[in-house]
Amino acid sequence: MVENERKDDNTGDSGGKSPKKLRVLLRTFGCQMNIRDSEVIAGILIQAGFELRQSEDDADVVILNTCAVREHAEEKVWSEIGSLAKRRTKHEARGTQNEIRRTKNEARGTNEVHSPWSTVHSKDARDQFCEAKKVTVTKSDSHLSARTENREPRTASPIIGLVGCMAKNYGQAAFTRSPFVDFVVGPQDIAKIPEILQKLVHSQSILRQAQDCVVDGRQNRETKDEARSTRDEKEIEARSIKHEGREGDRNRKQENTEIQRTKQPSSILFERKIWETDGLTRPEEIYHSGFRSDTKKAYIVISEGCSNYCSYCVVPYVRGQLRHRRQEDILREAQEAASKGITEIFLLGQNVNSYRSVSATGAEGDFVDLLEAVHALEGVSRISFISSHPKDSNTRLFKAIAGLEKVKKSLHLPFQSGSDHILKSMNRGYNSKYYLELAREYRKIVPGGELSTDIIVGFPGESEEDFQATYRMVEDVRFDSAFIFKYSPRPHSKAVDFSDDVEKHEKERRHKLILDLQKRVSLSARQRREAK
Ligand code: 5AD
Ligand code: SF4
């Protein structure tokens, strides 16, 4: 049990002082859904006895909660891991020097340098461990016991975790892409993170012990060589992981896995790598830890995953099929937030309009029913939501936006393309005429309401004529704001098999043209508003 293990594992070696909590830095990439997921992770980590930090300088663990929607988003994460890895290599070099200095000090009877992570291990356990790994302990017993009494934790190179959509996208292959990644957890498995960390910290402590034993046996070597050796071992280990590819990764039965580092002539290292990417659902309770990063606004997930399978989109593959949370659970979460003084509720789903709740009593409800129920909550003064799919949006929703006082008069309604044949190829389930009608209805029913959208340029097969249709849609609808994306082929998605035939420079040209148009439209919309 994690709770029981915490005493042993989630401590530095305190030598009789109060146990040190492990410090976690959470970095979030991507959308509001990820922001909320990071809050959820933070909440369950705090419940399990971890501590949150703002900087990697004093973090024992760095968790990157990632996005896989476009390749660019993934590149940012790999580059972040690269920078962390650089710091880590420096740490390891420094750590090895410290170990050697410590060993020398201990031989002199002083204890200046301290071991990271580690659980307090008795001399016997330590000897046993080194024995099992066939490493000779050269120091006398008195040195060992003196060290365990006085050691304090110090900052070490952090454990690095890849979490979220990219984690699911890469699975085990993430360890090949970067050997510095220690664990990989998909969006449906985030509840397991505290336990995974306990296991890894335990492994790290064993690793440190192995290094202690190794250092004991080679005090006289050059410190630079030691650092290089540690780095080389990592690279060797990376090469030793079989690259199964993403397809193989998906088909393989995925379980927690241990990877044994190769034995080097001068040292023995053992490191555990864990990946969890096959979960289907999240336990409801993870949404109720009470942790929020904003004191005024609460993001609340109403549905997970998506079953629309737009041909360009990786979401159904990384977040799974659409699942709805029950209305009563959502309301409980909203009430918990309101009881802490939060006044704005922000409802999240990949397609909120397809929301359907079946309650414990068997009563059914749709998204408008949910809006009305949240609206009735005391303490809630503002309600927003994202994202809506045109094919599931209708006048009932627009009337609810107009009629429910607390609901923000705003709608995010991605149209993606103005060309019918591209929309068909995208599997969006509507055509441009339908979208234009819907936008007109919205403007009529919600006078003065804001309208925003998402657009993809350069989708496979998009001709100049198709692009002009998109351009015209922006001119006609006059969105208040728009997010414009260059098409990026995504693994698993249907469109990855289409020829990505719009040249990069052409995608950039189209992107710039729409962006410039939208800037002009947004400016005049703002000026009109301000003139009123
Ligand atoms: N390439 C470019 N943009 C994409 N989006 C989703 N998948 C891709 C992709 N493969 C955009 C869509 C979506 C928004 C969240 O991201 O416009 O609405
Ligand atoms: Fe992706 Fe389409 Fe689902 Fe949005 S509706 S998450 S674009 S599959």
Side-chain angles (χ1 to χ4, degrees), residues 351-484:
N351 174 7
V352 292
N353 309 124
S354 61
Y355 176 76
R356 295 285 176 277
S357 169
V358 178
S359 76
T361 59
E364 288 188 27
D366 67 4
F367 181 61
V368 171
D369 296 325
L370 176 67
L371 273 183
E372 286 169 352
V374 177
H375 194 265
L377 292 179
E378 220 173 286
V380 173
S381 59
R382 190 174 168 86
I383 306 166
S384 314
F385 59 88
I386 199 168
S387 193
S388 298
H389 195 302
K391 78 177 168 59
D392 298 310
S393 300
N394 51 38
T395 51
R396 177 169 147 79
L397 173 71
F398 304 158
K399 283 178 186 157
I401 297 174
L404 295 170
E405 192 196 345
K406 298 175 184 174
V407 173
K408 192 174 171 204
K409 311 303 167 206
S410 156
L411 181 68
H412 186 67
L413 196 63
F415 81 89
Q416 312 296 4
S417 170
S419 152
D420 288 344
H421 103 90
I422 294 292
L423 284 171
K424 196 157 195 289
S425 174
M426 286 177 165
N427 192 32
R428 289 289 290 175
Y430 56 86
N431 60 21
S432 55
K433 185 163 173 282
Y434 171 91
Y435 186 93
L436 267 174
E437 264 309 303
L438 202 62
R440 273 191 205 116
E441 282 288 312
Y442 170 75
R443 296 257 197 239
K444 205 164 71 196
I445 297 171
V446 191
E450 285 181 19
L451 185 61
S452 58
T453 199
D454 291 344
I455 302 164
I456 298 177
V457 295
F459 186 77
E462 186 189 76
S463 64
E464 179 60 26
E465 201 183 319
D466 294 322
F467 168 70
Q468 287 303 329
T470 300
Y471 195 91
R472 274 198 306 280
M473 185 75 96
V474 177
E475 282 180 321
D476 289 353
V477 180
R478 307 192 71 75
F479 297 97
D480 294 274
S481 60
F483 297 90
I484 304 140

Side-chain angles (χ1 to χ4, degrees), residues 67 69-77 488 490:
C67 168
V69 162
R70 283 168 297 277
E71 200 181 352
H72 181 62
E74 291 192 350
E75 279 161 8
K76 278 204 285 196
V77 173
S488 158
R490 298 285 62 215

Side-chain angles (χ1 to χ4, degrees), residues 32-298:
Q32 282 101 332
M33 191 66 93
N34 264 14
I35 295 174
R36 177 59 188 144
D37 284 357
S38 285
E39 289 179 339
V40 167
I41 295 167
I44 56 177
L45 282 173
I46 291 168
Q47 279 178 337
F50 293 83
E51 201 175 277
L52 291 188
R53 288 297 162 121
Q54 301 293 327
S55 153
E56 64 242 26
D57 290 337
D58 59 356
D60 303 313
V61 180
V62 178
I63 296 178
L64 305 169
N65 187 17
T66 61
C67 168
V69 162
R70 283 168 297 277
E71 200 181 352
H72 181 62
E74 291 192 350
E75 279 161 8
K76 278 204 285 196
V77 173
W78 290 123
S79 128
E80 177 79 16
I81 292 173
S83 334
L84 286 168
K86 263 191 208 145
R87 300 170 73 99
R88 179 152 151 171
T89 312
K90 276 189 202 152
H91 263 300
E92 281 173 354
R94 233 180 289 140
T96 310
Q97 286 175 10
N98 287 344
E99 293 297 345
I100 288 169
R101 211 175 310 132
R102 176 177 56 71
T103 309
K104 284 179 181 164
N105 287 339
E106 282 170 358
R108 279 187 235 118
T110 57
N111 297 289
E112 286 172 9
V113 184
H114 314 289
S115 173
W117 322 111
S118 49
T119 314
V120 181
H121 286 280
S122 70
K123 158 191 141 342
D124 283 350
R126 187 176 191 273
D127 284 354
Q128 232 175 20
F129 176 83
C130 294
E131 184 53 38
K133 296 289 170 190
K134 300 205 185 331
V135 178
T136 322
V137 180
T138 55
K139 286 198 310 258
S140 74
D141 288 354
S142 61
H143 292 137
L144 294 174
S145 49
R147 194 165 70 82
T148 50
E149 272 162 28
N150 296 324
R151 268 194 304 173
E152 278 183 357
R154 69 160 159 76
T155 306
S157 58
I159 288 179
I160 299 174
L162 186 73
V163 169
C165 295
M166 252 177 97
K168 174 73 179 167
N169 200 15
Y170 275 80
Q172 192 195 6
F175 301 129
T176 315
R177 173 78 196 248
S178 171
F180 293 96
V181 174
D182 297 295
F183 67 101
V184 171
V185 178
Q188 280 78 259
D189 295 280
I190 54 177
K192 299 168 191 158
I193 290 176
E195 201 176 343
I196 288 172
L197 280 178
Q198 306 286 356
K199 286 180 184 167
L200 283 169
V201 168
H202 186 69
S203 305
Q204 285 271 7
S205 125
I206 293 171
L207 172 63
R208 296 304 307 172
Q209 282 196 331
Q211 283 172 334
D212 282 354
C213 300
V214 169
V215 170
D216 291 344
R218 51 179 179 179
Q219 294 174 32
N220 297 326
R221 283 186 56 171
E222 279 290 304
T223 52
K224 266 189 190 161
D225 285 350
E226 296 283 346
R228 205 173 305 127
S229 155
T230 309
R231 206 164 46 231
D232 289 347
E233 280 149 10
K234 275 212 170 302
E235 284 158 13
I236 289 159
E237 182 217 14
R239 281 197 294 274
S240 76
I241 302 170
K242 191 166 158 263
H243 179 81
E244 295 194 34
R246 300 193 194 172
E247 193 53 37
D249 211 45
R250 247 196 308 157
N251 296 335
R252 185 182 44 76
K253 186 178 179 301
Q254 293 174 2
E255 294 172 334
N256 286 353
T257 277
E258 289 180 356
I259 292 163
Q260 210 105 47
R261 286 183 159 201
T262 44
K263 246 185 181 186
Q264 300 303 299
S266 61
S267 67
I268 293 171
L269 292 177
F270 174 81
E271 190 177 75
R272 195 172 203 184
K273 303 236 173 193
I274 299 179
W275 75 98
E276 282 282 358
T277 53
D278 263 359
L280 296 175
T281 51
R282 296 172 169 188
E284 172 57 33
E285 278 318 300
I286 65 171
Y287 289 116
H288 301 276
S289 75
F291 180 89
R292 300 267 170 202
S293 53
D294 194 315
T295 54
K296 292 273 161 276
K297 177 167 66 181

Side-chain angles (χ1 to χ4, degrees), residues 13-24:
D13 179 354
S14 59
K17 295 171 196 158
S18 61
K20 175 184 169 272
K21 288 183 172 183
L22 271 178
R23 301 155 302 182
V24 181

